[in-house]
Every structure is written in C-alpha cells, then in structure tokens.
Amino acid sequence: MYTNFEKYDIILIILQKLKGLITIPELPEVENVKRSLENKVIGKTIVGCSVINEKLIKKPTVQEFAKDITGLKITYLYRRGKYLVFTMDFSYELVVHLGMTGLLIHVNNINEIPQKYSKHLHVLIQLDGNTLLCYCDIRKFGSLRLLRQINPYEAIAKMGPEPWEIGVRKSFKTRLSAKKWTNKTIKEAIMNQEVIAGVGNIYASEALYASRIDPNRLVNKITDVERELILTNIQDILQKSIDLGGTSISDYLNGEGKKGQFQNYLKIYGKKKCECGADLKTVEIKGRNTFYCQNCQK
DNA sequence: CCTCAAGACCGGCTGC
DNA sequence: TGCAGCCGGTCTTGA
C-alpha cells in the first residue's frame, strides 16, 4: 500500500505499528508536518471551509469557524510544542493539535486521501489554486481553534520552553523546581507541557533511559547535574528523531515503503529487553505506560 | 480563588 | 463470531 503514497502529498505518517503500541505525533512528527506543509500553504488564501465533524472545532462555534476562516490568507506557519499554528491575515491564528491520530494532508482532490483516513475526514479547507487542506483524525483527539492573535491560546501561552531556545536550560530548571513538582515523578514532570514543550510518553521514556534515571524517582531527588543531563538527552533525542522523521516522510513520498528510521533507535519504549539483557519493567505513571530498566536506571 | 486527581473523550486492535 | 479492555494528550469535572 505504501506505493500509493507516491502520488500523495503525505504530510504526516502515524500509526507505525510497534508491538501493539503506536507512535503518536509528538514534537518531531509535528515539526515534520510543519516543514512539509509550509511551502504548500503559505501565501494561499482560504476560499472555503466545510466542517464534516463538528467535534473537532473547539473555538469559536462551528458556524463562526467556517465563516471567519474563509477569505483569510495564510502568512506563516510555525510549530509550538505539539501544536501547529497557521498565522493569517487580520490577526487570526489557526491552532491545530493532531491529538493521537491526526492527519493534515494537502491534496488536489479528496479522492487522494489515503483510504484509512478518508472515512475520518472532519474538516476540509479549500485554498486558492484549487487545492485542499484536509484534517482527518481516526480517534478524534485532535483539535482546531481559530483565534485572534490578541487572545493567545492559554495552553501555548503557559507552555514551557522549546528544547533548543535560548535560555532553555535555565527555564527548564526553574520550572522543574516549582513547588508543584517536588513530590511528583520526574517522568510526569517532563511530560507536562509547562515544564518543557513537545515531550510525550515515548520521548520521556527514552530520555530518562539515556540519562540512566529511574522514571519513578521524585523530582526533588534529582540532582542539578541530572537535570542538565535529562535536558541534554531530550534535545539530542528529539533532534535525532526530527532528522529521521524527515527521512521517513521522504521515503514514503518516494514510494520506497520505508517506515522511517526513528523506531530503529528506540531503546526502551515498547521493548521487552534492555540492551544489558535484563527484562524491562513497565509501570503506570500518570495513567501512561512507562518502560524502564531496573538494572540501568537508578 | 486555587490545586489536583480522576474521568472523559475515541476507535483500531488484541486476546479470550 | 463477539466483545471487553487496552492505549494516550488534553480538557473537563468535582472535591
């Protein structure tokens, strides 16, 4: 089926099967969506909008969303954490979150949407030049918000630093030192978007494994050196995944059937055994499945 | 007013 | 074949 992708402008590839688990769009995947999409949509004017499933439109009302977005020109596209933000004329912003199974795809015709997603098409945005920006979502965990720039989206306003922004080390450590985290586990803390942007369940597990730190440890027991190490590993792992994710999308477009290379570098998430040979443990932290090695992570 | 844990939201998939 | 339960990012709810 991958050969079919050759003629499609696939913007996001998700649902890579991994021992019963799935990869969901976290920072690296959303970054690749942004890079793939920006050249296609910047400068385009929205000439129409159809909302098939109203549940995904969070702001404003569905009727207002479709009416207000029509006629706006997309001037810029950026990523903030796991959110995609389309900057528009007249100080509007379209804020999109892909949830777990969101797909943003730019096509000439809705028939080009992969079959798997076509029955989960929820929002159709017509661009000038007769192309379509489609939002599909199997589990409907995603969201679209059309906002005025003067009223920033709260989740983004209070979001922690981007992993590579200037001052991230200081900001990360300051936020991690907040009273609310002292008796929480380190994994829960780094998964929270207010501590650092873009880290989800998979990358939290991987970064803590790379840091040799037990995800169950409480934040107030994590030394300053260890906090630095965690941030460094978050940066390295996310960057590597961004780079590999780009390769993956390119492979799909080329119809080579490759599933991307990032999963080949996973050390812990979804695994049964550690590289050291020990059986991995799983524990539920904040309702999320957490993998770690009792031998390597202390 | 605040914090915060738990529940809700979903449907493809697995396993019994 | 049927169906309960798993999975998880974010928002909502209620204590």
Side-chain angles (χ1 to χ4, degrees):
Chain A
M1 72 180 276
Y2 296 136
T3 52
N4 290 337
F5 286 4
E6 188 171 348
K7 59 184 176 183
Y8 300 140
D9 185 6
I10 298 294
I11 304 304
L12 174 60
I13 295 97
I14 52 173
L15 289 171
Q16 294 172 334
K17 291 278 293 175
L18 191 70
K19 295 190 174 178
L21 302 169
I22 57 170
T23 50
I24 54 91
E26 298 185 33
L27 187 151
E29 289 75 22
V30 180
E31 175 66 21
N32 277 296
V33 175
K34 177 240 169 191
R35 292 181 184 185
S36 305
L37 210 48
E38 58 188 351
N39 293 334
K40 308 289 200 306
V41 302
I42 290 176
K44 292 285 189 346
T45 298
I46 293 165
V47 297
C49 175
S50 301
V51 177
I52 295 105
N53 187 327
E54 306 187 355
K55 280 204 170 79
L56 285 285
I57 306 293
K58 307 297 183 184
K59 285 278 168 61
T61 68
V62 174
Q63 289 76 14
E64 287 173 327
F65 181 92
K67 181 168 70 71
D68 291 351
I69 203 171
T70 301
L72 300 181
K73 186 166 93 176
I74 300 168
T75 55
Y76 192 62
L77 174 59
Y78 67 94
R79 179 195 55 73
R80 180 74 173 97
K82 303 173 190 174
Y83 289 90
L84 270 178
V85 182
F86 296 76
T87 302
M88 320 258 229
D89 276 348
F90 310 114
S91 301
Y92 276 97
E93 282 185 338
L94 174 63
V95 180
V96 179
H97 195 290
L98 299 172
M100 296 183 63
T101 52
L103 170 75
L104 260 182
I105 182 170
H106 182 246
V107 295
N108 295 310
N109 187 296
I110 56 170
N111 296 332
E112 296 175 7
I113 299 171
Q115 190 176 14
K116 182 171 199 165
Y117 297 95
S118 61
K119 56 185 172 185
H120 303 287
L121 171 62
H122 304 306
V123 181
L124 200 53
I125 295 172
Q126 290 175 267
L127 304 176
D128 67 338
N130 213 20
T131 62
L132 299 168
L133 185 59
C134 307
Y135 183 78
C136 307
D137 197 331
I138 296 170
R139 293 193 199 176
K140 304 187 181 75
F141 273 32
S143 59
L144 292 87
R145 291 173 172 85
L146 184 63
L147 307 171
R148 308 308 300 253
Q149 286 176 325
I150 199 170
N151 298 321
Y153 181 41
E154 192 186 8
I156 289 182
K158 64 185 185 184
M159 190 177 286
E162 288 290 316
W164 306 278
E165 74 177 45
I166 293 171
V168 60
R169 306 195 84 78
K170 186 179 178 193
S171 177
F172 172 70
K173 288 196 286 184
T174 299
R175 287 164 180 261
L176 202 51
S177 298
K179 197 177 279 183
K180 71 177 288 191
W181 298 116
T182 53
N183 286 314
K184 298 284 169 47
T185 66
I186 182 63
K187 179 175 182 259
E188 178 180 348
I190 63 174
M191 279 180 62
N192 187 288
Q193 301 303 295
E194 295 179 36
V195 174
I196 185 150
V199 176
N201 197 31
I202 297 170
Y203 295 109
S205 296
E206 294 294 321
L208 290 173
Y209 176 74
S211 306
R212 297 296 186 258
I213 290 170
D214 186 331
N216 298 295
R217 274 175 62 194
L218 301 183
V219 170
N220 62 2
K221 302 294 185 188
I222 306 287
T223 67
D224 193 63
V225 171
E226 288 173 325
R227 295 173 193 220
E228 297 267 357
L229 181 62
I230 291 168
L231 178 58
T232 298
N233 280 312
I234 288 172
Q235 291 171 325
D236 290 351
I237 289 168
L238 292 180
Q239 184 62 59
K240 189 171 191 175
S241 180
I242 288 173
D243 297 342
L244 292 172
T247 303
S248 166
I249 286 175
S250 170
D251 288 340
Y252 275 118
L253 290 174
N254 291 338
E256 293 175 1
K258 291 184 180 174
K259 292 186 175 180
Q261 297 174 44
F262 175 70
Q263 70 271 25
N264 297 330
Y265 292 84
L266 286 177
K267 303 280 192 190
I268 196 103
Y269 184 83
K271 304 286 185 187
K272 293 270 189 271
K273 269 189 183 299
C274 180
E275 287 181 331
C276 78
D279 289 335
L280 293 180
K281 296 287 180 186
T282 59
V283 64
E284 188 178 300
I285 294 179
K286 197 75 160 99
R288 300 296 175 250
N289 214 358
T290 303
F291 295 82
Y292 69 105
C293 176
Q294 282 184 310
N295 188 34
C296 296
Q297 292 172 265
K298 303 296 182 185

